[in-house]
């Protein structure tokens, strides 16, 4: 469970990094001339890179919350059965699978 929460934190960190870098680009690079250079920004590599960071961050958080919710649902549906704790290996495998799905979805 702690690994999944740390994965959510990492996804939120990426989204926060995206927002900070976007604010820096808006303030220092474009400033009041954004309307004039909107097409340049939208077709630039920087915008593409920031879009990838934003997408990966939000998808990591989404998948980790989904896995965590499914784990909680399993505990609610079968409360008297002790399934045992989620081990580090299980959480790491789930995280790797989630990241591979995210990367595959971002390429498509």
């Amino acid at each position: 469970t702690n690994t999944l929460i740390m994965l959510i934190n990492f996804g939120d960190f990426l989204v926060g990094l995206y927002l900070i870098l976007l604010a820096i680009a808006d303030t220092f690079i474009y400033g009041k001339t954004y309307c004039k250079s909107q097409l340049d920004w939208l077709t630039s590599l920087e915008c593409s890179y920031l879009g990838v960071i934003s997408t990966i961050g939000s998808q990591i958080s989404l998948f980790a919350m989904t896995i965590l919710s499914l784990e909680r649902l399993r505990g609610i549906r079968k409360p008297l059965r002790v399934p045992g704790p989620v081990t580090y290996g299980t959480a790491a495998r789930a995280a790797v699978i989630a990241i591979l799905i995210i990367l595959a979805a971002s390429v498509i």
Side-chain angles (χ1 to χ4, degrees), residues 38-49:
Q38 178 181 7
L39 185 60
D40 293 335
W41 167 251
L42 293 175
T43 57
S44 69
L45 285 176
E46 293 87 3
C47 182
S48 297
Y49 292 148

Side-chain angles (χ1 to χ4, degrees), residues 20-35:
I20 288 171
L21 293 174
L22 187 65
I24 290 170
D26 181 46
T27 303
F28 296 113
I29 297 173
Y30 293 101
K32 296 181 181 182
T33 64
Y34 176 73
C35 290

Side-chain angles (χ1 to χ4, degrees), residues 12-23:
D12 291 344
F13 168 76
L14 288 178
V15 172
L17 180 67
Y18 158 74
L19 291 172
I20 288 171
L21 293 174
L22 187 65

